[in-house]
Each structure stands twice: as structure tokens, then as C-alpha cells.
Amino acid sequence: MLYPSDAPQSADLFARASEVIPGGVNSPVRAFRSVGGTPRFMTSGKGALMTDADGREYVDLICSWGPLLHGHAHPAIVEAVTKAAQKGTSFGTPTENEVLLAEEIVARTPAQRIRLVNSGTEATMSAIRLARGFTGRSLVVKFSGCYHGHVDALLAEAGSGVATLAIPETRGVTATQTAETVVLPYNDPQALEELFTQRGDEIACLITEAAPGNMGVVPPVDGFNQLIRDLTARHGALMISDEVMTGFRASAAGWYGIDPVEADLYTFGKVMGGGLPAAAFGGRADVMDLLAPAGPVYQAGTLSGNPLATAAGLANLTLSTPEAYEKLATTSTTLQGMTAAALYNAGVPHRIQTAGTMFSVFLFADGVELAQVTDYAAARTQSAARFAAFFTELLARGIYLPPSGFECWFVSTAHDEQILDRIDEALPYAAGAAAAVG
Ligand SMILES: Cc1ncc(COP(=O)(O)O)c(C=O)c1O
């Protein structure tokens, strides 16, 4: 099966969207800027498949950029959301499901208190404010290639869409804001130690992706998260572990389940919302209890802990059993093997990197051999042209990858053997297309 390269219905919708929505999309990563072509407008999804406005079916390897751990329209999630909607969509008062969701997160992670919000961006923004309120300091440390949402202070050298679109600096972020953010290379213990030696007493917090997935998957080298833990503790700064992507996906307890370094604060999102807008930040009780109304750090939200979102999140986590993670791990490993085989057979230099059940694929130009991608500089040596060719061929064959080589591939428990066979059939053609780019 080979879909035509044009997609008339999506193209028409995209033209209309471009008149009323900047760039035609509501989040830059949805655009096809770095791979070419028209973003596909989806109309429905079921399990591992989604269907676009032209009636074409795709195997989904984005899974809504992570949340859909059990595929599209899982009956248990649909039922939970439907039932919640029938009882009322929002109250602006506390509800029981907020307690249940917070309890579930506390049970799975070291966080002692949880505050629910609507997006990962809100979670990281609030965690940073809290860290500054707790320490009375202003400096924030982040790593290049890590993405923590579009928080002003955190956009410097960010991964994800900022990396894909190669935006050197985001206009609108003031010099004062960037002056309070220090960006370090990832996986560089020496740079980290030097900064803490020089400015340790100014640092409010260091925020890191627990295992980065926004410059492609670039896991921490052995002991790196522990070094962050030790240095922040020694200098009175807080460690914020951003588990928005890894949380409840890399393992049942997120990256913490694999690399059990205890942070002071955590941010969560994606899987915990089951495909609806829910996210959270949480952590040490003594820090979290500084939040209003318990304490003086203000943070609020009209729709925080929304009944539909908490219902979806709870249902998603209830489905996320040890067996589910085993299945995800097998699917992820099988898909990695198929992809590696196709690329190897086509002679495309590549590297596949994993973080628990998460993984991504770096394609390189001929002659570029990297034993490991350990930081953003290395991630940027991948071949965008090769990735574009690989992506475009897969799309034509009904396989929907994230439209950027800087993004993680996401699978779900709905990706079964039949689905994997479909991908396996398409991969050699995509690898051939990538090889042809040179
Ligand atoms: C690690 C990480 N943190 C924060 C965010 C921001 O989350 P949201 O897009 O829900 O604002 C993302 C989004 O991809 C993420 O991957």
C-alpha cells in the first residue's frame, strides 16, 4: 500500500488553518516544517491506528506525544470520561478523583504531595517558582537539549520543537529572564561541578529531564543523576526531576523506577492524563507545603484537577499494570530490532537509544559513526535530510512517526504483532529512501 504524496482534505484544512492559526498548527511540533509536506489532520483513532481527513489509516508512533500508553479510544478510558462528563464537566470545587489520582502518583513515585495542573509547562513553571520561593534564590540551571515546556526561563537551548525548528533564541524572552538561567551541556559532570563550585549559593534549582527524550532519547550516563542530587543537596539547591515524558511510561514509576535517585520536586504529565489535559508537580512535603493556601507561594488553576481529565488519567494508570509494562517493553524492543535491521541492511549509519520502554532513532550521514549520543551537540550531528526521507516514505506507507529526528517514538499496549508486521513491511522501503539521500 502506498498513499499518494498529496492529501487533498488535509491540505484544504491546513490552508484554512493557516488563515486563522499561526503556522496552521496549535503546537509547532505538529507542523511538517523539517520533513516537508502537509500535516495530516486526524479524524479518529482506535488502538494503534489513526485515520486522517482523507480516510487514510496510519499506525501511530506518536501516541499523542506520549500520553496514550494504551492506544486510542481505549474502552475503559472512553467509559471513564463519558461517565464523568455525564456527572458534570467542571465544578471549581475539590472532587474525589483528584484525591485518587494524587494518591496513585504518590504510591508510584517518591513524591509526598501532588498539585494537579493542566499541562507539563504549567507543572515546570510552578515547580521553579516553588523552588525559588523555598530557597529564596533566583538562579535556575537546565541542560541544553532538554525541553521543559514553553516556560520563559526554560526555553534556552531547548529540545523538541525548538530543536527541530532550530530556533536560536525565542523572541519575547527578556534578557533578565535568561540572565537567571544557566544552561549546561548534558552528561558533563565537570561542567556541573564547576558551576556549583562557582555559583552554588545562588542556585535555586536544577531542572533536568529524568532521562531526556526531547533531543531524541539521550539517557543520563551512569551516576549523572546522582551527581546532580549530591551537588544540589550540598549547595542548598533543589533538584527538579522532569518526568513529564518518562513518568509512568519509561516504567511504572517512570525513570525513577530505573534510576532511583530521589529528587526534591518532580513534574509529571502525559500518561497521567490519559490523553486529556492533566499534569502535576509534586515532591517533598516540606517544600510542597509552601504552596498556597498552605503557604505563601501562589499557584492556581480554574480547570486544575478537571473531572474528565482525572477520570481519564486514573483509567490510564489503572490499565498500566506490570504486565502492561512488560508488553510495552517487548513491543519497544521488537520495533527497535526491526528498525535497526532495516537501516543496517540499507547501509544507513544510525543509532537507537533507549530509556526504559522509550526509544528514538538517530540517522547519520555516510561516514558519521557515533558510538553513543550523550548530549545535544551529538544529537545535532544527525542527518535531517535522511530523517525527512525516512519519515516521508513511512508516511506514504501508513506509518506515522514523529515529524522530527529529535523526538521519541511512542508505542502503546495496543501495538500488537499485526501492527508490528505492518511496520516491518514498510521499514525496508523507508531505510532505502534514507540511504538514497546520501
Ligand atoms: C520533559 C517534558 N517536560 C515538559 C513538557 C511540557 O509539557 P506540555 O506540552 O504538556 O506543556 C514536555 C512536553 O513534551 C516534556 O517532554
Side-chain angles (χ1 to χ4, degrees), residues 27 65 118-122 124 147-150 160 209 213-214 242-246 267 269-270 279 407:
S27 189
W65 301 91
N118 303 290
S119 70
T121 297
E122 248 189 276
T124 58
Y147 178 69
H148 304 288
H150 61 98
S160 191
E209 282 188 59
N214 282 297
D242 182 351
E243 292 245 24
V244 168
M245 188 185 286
T246 48
T267 51
K270 300 194 188 265
E407 303 285 0

Side-chain angles (χ1 to χ4, degrees), residues 95-116 248 252 268 272 280-282 310 313-314 317-318:
T95 54
E96 185 183 5
N97 271 359
E98 294 167 61
V99 186
L100 295 175
L101 187 54
E103 283 174 348
E104 178 68 26
I105 296 172
V106 165
R108 283 177 181 245
T109 71
Q112 295 171 315
R113 302 264 197 282
I114 294 296
R115 173 62 59 90
L116 297 178
F248 322 113
F268 304 106
M272 61 154 284
F281 63 106
T310 50
L314 273 170
L317 290 178
T318 305

